[in-house]
């Protein structure tokens, strides 16, 4: 059964950085859009960023531009989210998700909208504390 597993979460002080990874079991992520999302305590889940299949085109939610960078590591079959200048407001559970529609051409795009994604990981906790 296809599963996504997030890793890399943890405790970090304000201004710090973390790199999250999303890995799929027995499944190659290369030709599929993958998104990163987060859910802060008491708030709804929101989109951060996504990367399209094949072409690797990226898209970011407006409020997430500048401090977050999404990328693929083809050798590890992961989609990573580099986060910098973290703030206490970034605390939450971070999820990756997969859009099962195959994207073969390099011109495909993606959006970090929850409804576009079919398979979700269990999440990894990120806590920014001072």
């Amino acid at each position: 059964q296809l599963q996504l597993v997030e890793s890399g979460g943890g405790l970090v002080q304000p201004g710090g950085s973390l790199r999250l990874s999303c890995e799929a079991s027995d499944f190659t992520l290369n030709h599929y859009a993958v998104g990163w999302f987060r859910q802060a305590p008491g708030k709804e889940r929101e989109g951060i960023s996504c990367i399209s299949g094949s072409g690797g085109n990226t898209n970011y939610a407006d409020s997430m531009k500048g401090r977050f960078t999404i990328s693929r590591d083809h050798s590890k079959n992961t989609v990573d989210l580099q986060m910098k200048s973290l703030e206490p407001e970034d605390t939450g559970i971070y999820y990756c998700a997969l859009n099962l529609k195959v994207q073969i051409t390099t011109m495909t795009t993606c959006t970090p909208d929850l409804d576009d994604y079919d398979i979700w990981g269990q999440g990894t906790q990120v806590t920014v504390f001072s």
Side-chain angles (χ1 to χ4, degrees):
Q1 182 177 356
L2 172 58
Q3 289 184 324
L4 298 178
V5 178
E6 302 93 339
S7 62
L11 301 174
V12 64
Q13 292 185 330
S17 300
L18 282 175
R19 187 177 185 89
L20 308 181
S21 286
C22 175
E23 184 174 10
S25 58
D26 299 322
F27 189 86
T28 301
L29 295 173
N30 289 348
H31 299 301
Y32 300 87
V34 175
W36 276 98
F37 303 82
R38 72 181 184 186
Q39 188 164 15
K43 295 187 178 181
E44 295 185 349
R45 195 172 300 187
E46 62 179 343
I48 300 172
S49 180
C50 65
I51 187 165
S52 68
S54 299
N57 297 306
T58 59
N59 197 357
Y60 295 85
D62 288 341
S63 61
M64 306 296 179
K65 292 179 180 178
R67 298 188 298 119
F68 298 88
T69 304
I70 193 170
S71 61
R72 286 186 188 273
D73 187 327
H74 293 281
S75 65
K76 297 180 180 179
N77 190 35
T78 62
V79 173
D80 300 335
L81 184 69
Q82 179 68 49
M83 308 186 294
K84 66 179 182 180
S85 302
L86 287 166
E87 305 166 351
E89 293 73 25
D90 295 314
T91 293
I93 301 175
Y94 284 68
Y95 301 88
C96 67
L98 175 70
N99 182 324
L100 286 174
K101 182 178 179 180
V102 176
Q103 294 184 326
I104 298 176
T105 71
T106 59
M107 297 300 292
T108 52
T109 59
C110 64
T111 57
D113 293 333
L114 276 69
D115 291 341
D116 287 352
Y117 296 85
D118 307 296
I119 306 294
W120 291 79
Q122 293 297 309
T124 185
Q125 176 70 46
V126 171
T127 303
V128 185
F129 71 101
S130 57

